[in-house]
Amino acid sequence: MQHTKRAVGVALLTAGALVMAGCSASGGDSGGDAAACEPAGEDVTLSFTSWIPGIEDAVAMWNDANPDIQVEVQTGPSGNAGTYQNFFNQLEAGNAPDLGQIEYDALPNFRVQDGLVDLGACEEVMAAQDEFIDWTWGQVTLGTEDEVYGIPQDSGPMGLFYRSDLFEENGIPVPTTWEEYREAAVQIRELGGYITNFSQTDINQFAGFVWQAEGQWFANDGDAWTVELTDEVSTKVADYWQDLLENDLVSTYPAWTDEWNNAYNSGEVWTWNSAVWGANSIASGAPDTAGNWSVAESPQWEAGGSAAGNWGGSSIAVFNGTEHPYEAAKFALWLNTSDEALTSLNTTAQIFPATKDGVNLPALQEGVAFYGDQPIYQLFAEIGSQVNPNFVWGPTMTQVYADVSDGFKAAVSGSGTLADALADAQASTIAALEAQSIPVAE
């Protein structure tokens, strides 16, 4: 699950440390060595940090069934809201937990700081590869063939959450294209509401919009990085949302605040273009609207299209410094592949599994009461198949998110535009790569 608010800083990269999407070297003393992934031969207690709601329930199931490998879970804010900074601080101090939740786009930042165990030496991990959706496995191998820096947990295909009751009562068709979405925005504004809220801090949501439009912020030819935050597609997406902002067709409440929740709970804001995990965010933030929401595919740029973006998705990584990589990997695999754990995580947090068979769980076939008994996860399974698997994250995404977010905040306040923000972030990203001796294409 992913709802990034503000990036925590740029990962420190050494010269030549990262050229491809991941690194070719093995991850620290604990990784790449078969002897490092052997059972401890004694009772083990692992520490694990996550921000998934209700993760304690799944951990309790594991602890009940595995008295010899106990897991102590600590919960905190989402990654870029503080947990990642804690991880970086703990790694520097040598007291990181055994395991931690890390979103796919943040894995390279921890990898280049030599913070992750390469689980490629764990036979059970390598044997599980075919259980996961291909593109999610690619996210944790970081472009390598035999290195693994986390166990995929979930994915975030994006759809349109909308107040079906309000659309029906007011005779407004549910938009299927972005052009229709703007037309609906005008009608909703005339009624005193907003079609959606534009987040100034969830830059990975905006990246999901670019992803859906077949944009690509980063590419690598094996020798150097290409940075494309200002390509034609990204500019088109930025201009679209800039128009909505300038015409007061979207609200701009700070995301994940009481004010933001109230806007949805009161019916002031009618839709949210979000990932599958957003189902839980709406249900918890807008409880008075239960039964009045539905989900549809995201609006398309071309009528009849079937492209989807992705926002988020996490892995469970093992940190360097752990004395028990075998037991940590065993727990992470169970958490993200077993029917009981996946069912628990979906029940408490609407986690959408990264496994191929996860979508067949009974819990994901049922209607969801909050969404008018619509079987929303069947729809998201279909949407997930429409996500381009080749979207590439750059090596300094925390810096990218921070810089774009700063620019978006300025644009919302009337200083510059969203396109200006992308242009400034383009320049700062190239400068950050060059300052760290990471090759950048001309």
Side-chain angles (χ1 to χ4, degrees), residues 62-196:
W62 167 270
N63 285 338
D64 288 345
N66 295 273
D68 56 332
I69 305 175
Q70 293 290 283
V71 177
E72 297 177 349
V73 63
Q74 177 180 2
T75 59
S78 63
N80 281 320
T83 292
Y84 289 159
Q85 187 61 70
N86 290 339
F87 286 161
F88 286 127
N89 293 341
Q90 291 164 342
L91 284 166
E92 184 176 1
N95 60 2
D98 295 285
L99 306 106
Q101 183 175 345
I102 301 179
E103 293 151 319
Y104 298 136
D105 56 358
L107 273 176
N109 290 46
F110 285 90
R111 172 64 191 92
V112 297
Q113 293 207 43
D114 199 27
L116 306 177
V117 172
D118 171 13
L119 300 176
C122 300
E123 293 183 6
E124 292 184 31
V125 171
M126 299 306 291
Q129 175 178 349
D130 289 341
E131 295 186 44
F132 294 95
I133 298 169
D134 292 343
W135 78 265
T136 64
W137 188 258
Q139 295 284 298
V140 299
T141 59
L142 301 181
T144 67
E145 294 184 0
D146 56 3
E147 299 170 17
V148 183
Y149 293 99
I151 305 300
Q153 181 169 85
D154 66 331
S155 61
M158 296 175 69
L160 179 66
F161 295 90
Y162 67 97
R163 281 289 299 271
S164 48
D165 61 328
L166 296 179
F167 276 90
E168 183 176 354
E169 289 171 8
N170 292 281
I172 301 175
V174 178
T176 60
T177 67
W178 288 111
E179 182 180 0
E180 292 175 356
Y181 194 76
R182 190 192 188 284
E183 293 171 357
V186 172
Q187 294 176 280
I188 293 169
R189 193 71 193 100
E190 291 173 349
L191 294 170
Y194 289 103
I195 194 167
T196 196

Side-chain angles (χ1 to χ4, degrees), residues 287-372:
D288 295 342
T289 63
N292 294 329
W293 288 86
S294 297
V295 182
E297 293 184 9
S298 293
Q300 300 292 311
W301 288 102
E302 300 291 339
S306 60
N310 187 84
W311 177 8
S314 296
S315 67
I316 303 301
V318 179
F319 288 113
N320 267 338
T322 182
E323 296 180 357
H324 307 293
Y326 173 86
E327 288 77 13
K330 190 177 183 68
F331 166 72
L333 280 172
W334 173 86
L335 184 67
N336 296 318
T337 61
S338 70
D339 286 356
E340 60 265 39
L342 293 178
T343 298
S344 174
L345 293 175
N346 178 260
T347 300
T348 60
Q350 278 69 58
I351 284 294
F352 195 64
T355 57
K356 296 173 181 176
D357 291 337
V359 296
N360 296 320
L361 291 173
L364 294 179
Q365 302 298 308
E366 301 171 355
V368 180
F370 189 88
Y371 295 91

